[in-house]
Amino acid sequence: MDHRVFWVFLSTVGILSLPVRPLSGQIYPLSDEGGLGRTFDGIGGLSGGGATSRLLVNYAEPYRSQILDYLFKPNFGASLHILKVEIGGDAQTTDGTEPSHMHYENDQNYFRGYEWWLMKEAKKRNPNITLIALPWAFPGWVGHGENWPYDYPDITAAYVVNWILGAKEYHDLDIQYIGIWNERDFNSKYIKVLRKMLDKVGLTDVGIIAADGDWSIAKSMITDPHLNDSVQVIGAHYPGTTTVPQALKTQKRLWSSEDYSTFNSEVGGGCWARILNQNYINGQMTATIAWNLVASYYEELPFGRDGLMTAQEPWSGNYVVESPIWITAHSTQFIQPGWTYLQTVGHLTQGGSYVALTDGNGNLTVVIETMTHNHSICIRPPLLPFNVTSQNATFQLKGSFASIKELQVWRSQFDFKAKKHSLFEKLTPLKLKDGLFNLNLAEDEIYTLTTIRTGQKGSFPQPPPSARFPKVYKDDFDVRNPPFSEAPNFADQTGVFEYYINLTDPGPHTFTLRQVVTERPVTWAADADQTISVIGDFQWQNLTVSCDVFMENVKSGGVFVAARVDKGGESIRSAKGIFFWVFANGTYRVTNDLASKMVLAEGASGTGEFMWYKLSLFVEGQYASGMLDGQPLWKISGVSSPKNGWAAIGTSAFELAQFDNFYVFAE
């Protein structure tokens, strides 16, 4: 048969139509005749690095379960194959801190934080999901006073191995891979020690991803057989779809172990569509993991809304299923880990790309993307110029696929001119003749053509409408058995604020919130010398903030309440606002910044350690005043900035301190 005069019929809305003209242009073969490519390892999302799922746990049902279904439920939404989580290290790691399982050297607690819960929820929906963990930071004791975790590799390895053992013992979670901290460097001695320790305690099946940052470790692996044997996966962050010859030479699995990190608009969806295909085509990467899984942190923190979907309003129940969810579905619902890429994958002649995979049992899935440059820019690295134009493409199935008679068709179309987008639509199945099919591909489209029939665009009734944080908010922290160690809606930025039961002193302050980090952690991102947790609406201007406070550091202790805090995350050190401090040495201070360099007022307060005090801060326009135990203590004017920001609590250093009966009223 002459393929140049072969016509294909597909009765759908214009993508494939009644035969009106002969096929022309490039014919792309899809075949297993010459062997297959690499094995597919999955597509995933990353919770952590840091505190990116913080607000998700506060959602009421059924909305929280709905969000989890969109992320993890097979054949429903993103249907993720991989969940990567942060091993909390008590340190700021981008948008907040996550608590460690070992605050101190003689301390172990495997119920802090929410990552345990999240992994169990993911496994509940997809028992086959791959679980990966990575420590971004470590408690200070691990580094023995140095901001580096590898001077004592036995200690660091034991810290990580304890977390993996705790996951199994207390939560029945099998961690399959562990990453090596520090995307800017790696430590071969530590990797070998970690491998030896994992094997010694029976965790031989736990793979090491190194350096979980860039490709630089590959050169050392080639010359160091012991290091090479210790590493199962080479992981790079934001590789720009390319790898290096040394990484390929190792013949190890190559992963984009952190990628995307892009605002989840339609351009973010385009970025995700392009790299999911081209990470393999250009770089032979067989897994891609998105930072972050779900944007469940205050949007004004760094990298706001950089998740696959948005769930940042537990107080309203509102969430948004963004375009990257459905872009993910184009692959995850029709390809599973263990499938194999065909060698016949690549770029389209007029721009765009296509991948094809098989399960080895006759099933075939083809994913095609034609994302244009300006509609697929990721946050990093810079995207070099390229062109994509509308095109007619013919695909020829060969080898064991030649007998396929029908393919299911799913399509997403981004229409940036009309701002009308059609995501993950199921079209009429495509009938093939002699293994041929033809597509008229427009710009900014994604197609999945597959023998798999189980795909579904899951849905729930619309969640409640978006609403601002309540103007009146209070929390007495009186929770005897809290489901999570953190209080709702507080977002720790430096330090860790946990529920605390003071059984030695029963009374009105038996249940409190306590700051528990007593020395600077081994940090990954910038933090502050002071500990701070923010809460509320970033747009707040005029407000009252009050809280009972209790200092535990003799003479050197200090605590604060604050309003209009204008920065968080990696920028927390330079945060400004209105901070009302009291100290155990009997003084108070009012500052315009967290670092206490801009002093607005100060004087005697009579405060000391191991006593409860009520701090009240009032801010209106350029006026601010403070009360201690209901008595006026100070009043100032001329506070011109910041104009707005969160409320906050915190301490003057890494120290133990308690907080109770928190209250905010915003006008």
Side-chain angles (χ1 to χ4, degrees), residues 81-101:
H81 305 131
I82 298 170
L83 172 60
K84 182 177 179 180
V85 303
E86 176 176 355
I87 298 178
D90 292 345
Q92 170 62 244
T93 53
T94 299
D95 287 295
T97 67
E98 297 198 31
S100 170
H101 58 293

Side-chain angles (χ1 to χ4, degrees), residues 457-479:
K457 187 173 185 178
S459 65
F460 290 109
Q462 279 291 107
S466 175
R468 308 221 57 107
F469 195 95
K471 290 186 175 182
V472 178
Y473 184 85
K474 58 184 178 180
D475 194 336
D476 60 12
F477 312 123
D478 289 355
V479 184

Side-chain angles (χ1 to χ4, degrees), residues 1 20 49 60 78 226 320 322 334 413 429 432 471 502 519 557 570:
M1 178 179 182
V20 294
H226 189 185
V320 183
E322 312 281 6
F334 311 105
Q413 291 180 316
L432 279 67
K471 290 186 175 182
N502 187 354
E519 62 178 317
E570 297 174 314

Side-chain angles (χ1 to χ4, degrees), residues 147-303:
N147 194 43
W148 184 245
Y150 299 134
D151 288 340
Y152 303 89
D154 289 338
I155 292 174
T156 305
Y159 172 85
V160 171
V161 170
N162 281 338
W163 187 91
I164 299 172
L165 292 171
K168 182 62 176 178
E169 180 178 354
Y170 295 98
H171 302 284
D172 195 27
L173 292 168
D174 293 303
I175 307 303
Q176 286 139 291
Y177 294 93
I178 188 74
I180 304 300
W181 175 80
N182 206 311
E183 65 180 39
R184 303 174 185 89
D185 199 358
F186 68 90
N187 186 290
S188 59
K189 182 178 179 181
Y190 168 71
I191 293 171
K192 296 171 188 176
V193 169
L194 177 60
R195 179 73 269 162
K196 183 177 179 180
M197 194 173 294
L198 288 168
D199 294 345
K200 185 177 180 180
V201 299
L203 296 173
T204 56
D205 291 337
V206 176
I208 290 178
I209 305 172
D212 213 347
D214 59 30
W215 303 117
S216 60
I217 195 174
K219 185 176 180 180
S220 297
M221 289 172 62
I222 292 170
T223 59
D224 185 343
H226 189 185
L227 177 63
N228 186 72
D229 292 343
S230 298
V231 174
Q232 283 64 55
V233 176
I234 303 179
H237 293 188
Y238 310 100
T241 77
T242 63
T243 185
V244 296
Q246 293 94 331
L248 292 168
K249 187 177 179 180
T250 66
Q251 298 186 358
K252 295 286 185 178
R253 282 179 288 169
L254 310 180
W255 289 2
S256 179
S257 53
E258 183 179 324
D259 215 325
Y260 174 64
S261 187
T262 298
F263 192 77
N264 59 22
S265 62
E266 282 67 32
V267 171
C271 152
W272 189 230
R274 178 176 53 79
I275 65 177
L276 282 180
N277 267 21
Q278 297 194 31
N279 273 351
Y280 183 76
I281 295 168
N282 301 337
Q284 295 287 288
M285 286 167 269
T286 55
T288 298
I289 302 172
W291 188 91
N292 53 71
L293 173 73
V294 52
S296 283
Y297 48 101
Y298 292 116
E299 187 168 338
E300 294 84 2
L301 288 168
F303 306 101

Side-chain angles (χ1 to χ4, degrees), residues 333-413:
Q333 290 200 23
F334 311 105
I335 308 164
Q336 295 302 315
W339 283 44
T340 309
Y341 285 95
L342 305 191
Q343 291 186 14
T344 51
V345 300
H347 295 274
L348 301 168
T349 56
Q350 299 302 311
S353 67
Y354 65 99
V355 294
L357 299 94
T358 180
D359 65 351
N361 296 313
N363 284 309
L364 176 70
T365 293
V366 184
V367 183
I368 303 166
E369 60 81 21
T370 58
M371 295 308 305
T372 56
H373 179 280
N374 291 348
H375 297 152
S376 66
I377 296 174
C378 304
I379 192 171
R380 64 177 79 88
L383 184 59
L384 296 176
F386 64 86
N387 293 316
V388 177
T389 57
S390 299
Q391 58 196 293
N392 183 278
T394 303
F395 293 84
Q396 171 74 70
L397 274 57
K398 296 182 177 182
S400 67
F401 312 118
S403 60
I404 292 175
K405 302 300 183 185
E406 181 179 270
L407 293 172
Q408 308 300 306
V409 183
W410 293 80
R411 179 185 65 185
S412 291
Q413 291 180 316

Side-chain angles (χ1 to χ4, degrees), residues 67 124 130 139 208 214 223 287 323 360 380 414 417 422 434 446 464 469 539 552 578:
I67 295 164
K124 186 188 302 180
T130 298
I208 290 178
D214 59 30
T223 59
S323 65
R380 64 177 79 88
F414 291 109
K417 290 183 179 179
S422 171
D434 296 332
I446 301 93
F469 195 95
Q539 302 305 320
E552 300 184 49
I578 302 168

